[in-house]
């Protein structure tokens, strides 16, 4: 994120504490290819199509650990634990010889991102060290916590951002120097992204990183549910313990700005005709008989001047904008900052889902959150539901609300590129 203003600092010693760990990694001689065993983060995998595709890519794909498939939640968690034990015993996964931090690079020809993977000391939002910006869904936290308890492993790094001082010294300087060496691993995934990983074990480099990061705070860009899971599990283990830390990727966005995209909604049990009928007199609705890219362009134009959404599910697109001011006054909580009250996600959840369509937002039977635009539309058309396509929120709004301690509605943003799952894991106890 290319935020304006100075680097965000905390008093000395009260900032980020990133510690080395012995990374658990695939043995390239035991798998078909490193690319074939990786996966997007668990909440980005489109199920069931994407899940089946990943499972068939390689029998050791990480998706078998992060999204195990069984008849009950308990069976799923035990299956993941059994799979992990077997892969460890067979040498498919092996721990590095010594603790280190890891430099991770992603590139696709248009974007280059580099950051540090390590075990970050956990802190509550009130400490002002790690700032969340979205609400979370309780049942997702419960699900992730159960899986993490069963496996005793952090399997996917969260994506956190901080704003450094440039590449001249400190953590980012170590990152740049490290990438001049040969990497531990290099692979290219089917989405066109190349991935490279290095380890940092030199005591002087580690000290330079840790001294620099101790002055900074971070924003959770991706992984709010996993961070909340870390915090929950920390309370279950007497301190000090490995559960005081969680696996993260830290990116200096002064050096490597991230992209921000929208997360769309699929309303399983709301047919599109019913959704449109309920909007009569409350929003302006216009049918768009155009391809998806042009519908998104129309959405961007409308979102520049107010709240706007595109609904799909019948083979065409419907631009929904200009909500009636009286409707917003009745449905949007008045005790929040104006920047929060005018968010598209706020209007969607407080006005449309709650008051117009009467849909429980925290019920997976009613609402799915999907990152891929085309997949959201396809599923709505196939299943007879309604796709709600969103426009990305501006980057500066995210951080400003986080600084104020105001969380956005759940799944309001999608920062990226996201770290691939399966390149490095962290074992807590097993």
């Amino acid at each position: 994120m290319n935020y304006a203003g100075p680097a965000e600092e905390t008093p000395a010693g009260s900032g980020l504490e990133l510690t080395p760990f012995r990374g658990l990694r695939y043995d390239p001689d035991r798998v078909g290819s490193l690319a074939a065993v990786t996966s997007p983060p668990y909440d980005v995998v489109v199920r069931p199509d994407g899940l089946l595709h990943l499972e068939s890519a390689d029998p050791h794909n990480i998706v078998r650990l992060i999204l195990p498939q069984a008849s009950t939640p308990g069976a799923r968690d035990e299956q993941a634990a059994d799979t992990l034990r077997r892969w460890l015993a067979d040498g498919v996964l092996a721990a590095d010889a010594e603790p280190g931090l890891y430099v991770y690079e992603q590139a696709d020809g248009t974007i280059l991102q580099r950051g540090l993977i390590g075990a970050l000391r956990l802190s509550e939002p009130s400490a002002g060290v790690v700032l969340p910006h979205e609400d979370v869904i309780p049942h997702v936290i419960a699900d992730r916590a159960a899986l993490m308890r069963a496996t005793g492993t952090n399997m996917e790094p969260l994506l956190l951002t901080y704003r450094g001082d440039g590449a001249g010294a400190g953590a980012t300087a170590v990152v740049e120097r490290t990438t001049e060496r040969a990497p531990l691993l290099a692979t290219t995934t089917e989405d066109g992204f190349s991935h490279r990983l290095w380890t940092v074990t030199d005591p002087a480099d580690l000290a330079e990183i840790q001294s620099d990061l101790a002055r900074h705070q971070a924003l959770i860009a991706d992984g709010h549910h996993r961070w909340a899971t870390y915090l929950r599990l920390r309370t279950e283990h007497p301190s000090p313990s490995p559960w005081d830390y969680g696996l993260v990727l830290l990116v200096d966005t002064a050096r490597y700005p991230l992209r921000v995209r929208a997360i769309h909604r699929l309303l399983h049990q709301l047919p599109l005709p019913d959704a449109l009928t309920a909007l009569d007199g409350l929003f302006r609705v216009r049918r768009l008989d155009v391809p998806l890219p042009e519908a998104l362009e129309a959405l961007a134009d409308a979102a520049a001047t107010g709240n706007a959404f595109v609904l799909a599910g019948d083979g065409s697109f419907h631009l929904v904008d200009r909500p009636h001011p009286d409707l917003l006054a009745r449905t949007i909580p008045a005790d929040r900052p104006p920047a929060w009250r005018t968010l598209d996600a706020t209007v969607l959840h407080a006005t449309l889902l709650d008051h117009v369509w009467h849909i429980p937002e925290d019920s997976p039977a009613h609402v799915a959150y999907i990152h891929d635009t085309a997949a959201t539309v396809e599923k709505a058309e196939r299943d007879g539901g309604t796709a709600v396509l969103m426009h990305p929120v501006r980057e500066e709004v995210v951080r400003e609300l986080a600084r104020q301690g105001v969380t956005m509605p759940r799944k309001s943003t999608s920062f990226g590129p996201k770290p691939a799952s399966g390149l490095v894991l962290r074992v807590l106890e097993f």
Side-chain angles (χ1 to χ4, degrees), residues 32-354:
S33 73
L34 289 174
V37 295
T38 64
S39 165
Y42 79 96
D43 58 337
V44 180
V45 175
V46 178
R47 290 174 274 185
D49 299 347
L51 184 64
L52 294 173
H53 174 72
L54 291 165
E55 286 181 332
S56 62
D58 189 284
H60 300 108
N61 189 284
I62 192 67
V63 77
R64 297 181 185 273
L65 299 182
I66 63 175
L67 289 172
Q69 300 299 295
S71 57
T72 67
R76 290 197 298 268
D77 299 333
E78 188 54 39
Q79 178 176 295
D82 289 344
T83 300
L84 179 57
R85 289 189 189 97
R86 186 172 66 253
W87 290 359
L88 288 168
D90 294 344
V92 173
L93 289 168
D96 286 330
E98 60 180 315
L101 298 177
Y102 295 84
V103 172
Y104 176 44
E105 176 190 276
Q106 295 165 272
D108 72 347
T110 62
I111 189 169
L112 173 67
Q113 177 173 291
R114 290 171 175 163
L116 285 162
I117 295 177
L120 184 69
R121 179 176 286 278
L122 305 179
S123 61
E124 297 290 341
S126 59
V129 177
V130 176
L131 304 176
H133 71 267
E134 285 186 356
D135 288 333
V136 292
I137 305 171
H139 76 81
V140 176
I141 298 171
D143 175 77
R144 291 293 102 185
L147 179 63
M148 210 173 294
R149 285 190 202 98
T151 60
T153 303
N154 296 156
M155 287 184 276
E156 303 180 273
L158 284 65
L159 176 59
L160 272 60
T161 71
Y162 75 101
R163 190 160 175 81
D165 305 311
T172 300
V174 176
V175 168
E176 299 302 308
R177 294 199 302 268
T178 301
T179 58
E180 296 173 359
R181 308 195 316 252
L184 282 176
L185 64 84
T187 190
T188 299
T189 45
E190 65 180 6
D191 59 3
F193 269 92
S194 65
H195 306 261
R196 297 198 294 169
L197 193 75
W198 297 259
T199 186
V200 180
T201 57
D202 179 80
D205 285 342
L206 293 173
E208 184 174 354
I209 290 170
Q210 291 168 331
S211 175
D212 180 21
L213 294 179
R215 301 182 298 111
H216 293 289
Q217 64 179 188
L219 176 75
I220 300 176
D222 186 70
H224 284 81
H225 290 89
R226 282 166 283 166
W227 183 259
T229 300
Y230 289 167
L231 293 177
R232 172 180 293 188
L233 294 175
R234 179 182 63 168
T235 67
E236 301 175 5
H237 299 82
S239 185
S241 83
W243 298 88
D244 293 336
Y245 298 81
L247 186 64
V248 305
L249 167 64
L250 270 172
V251 175
D252 175 3
T253 53
R255 175 71 170 159
Y256 296 107
L258 270 65
R259 295 186 296 213
V260 185
R261 291 176 173 166
I263 302 176
H264 310 295
R265 277 64 169 164
L266 174 61
L267 309 181
H268 295 292
Q269 300 184 29
L270 180 66
L272 180 61
D274 294 349
L276 295 172
T277 298
L279 298 178
D280 188 38
L282 302 177
F283 286 76
R284 182 175 68 168
V285 180
R286 289 175 286 166
R287 183 184 177 98
L288 304 174
D289 291 308
V290 297
L292 177 57
E294 292 183 29
L296 294 177
E297 290 177 6
L299 174 60
D301 291 341
T305 58
N307 301 116
F309 313 90
V310 163
L311 305 190
D314 64 353
S316 62
F317 301 100
H318 304 264
L319 180 62
V320 176
D321 64 354
R322 297 188 184 179
H324 197 287
D326 289 345
L327 174 67
L328 299 182
R330 293 197 315 271
T331 58
I332 303 296
D335 60 346
R336 300 291 187 93
W340 182 91
R341 300 180 73 243
T342 56
L343 289 170
D344 287 339
T346 298
V347 173
L348 173 61
H349 285 259
T351 303
L352 285 171
L353 292 184
D354 191 10

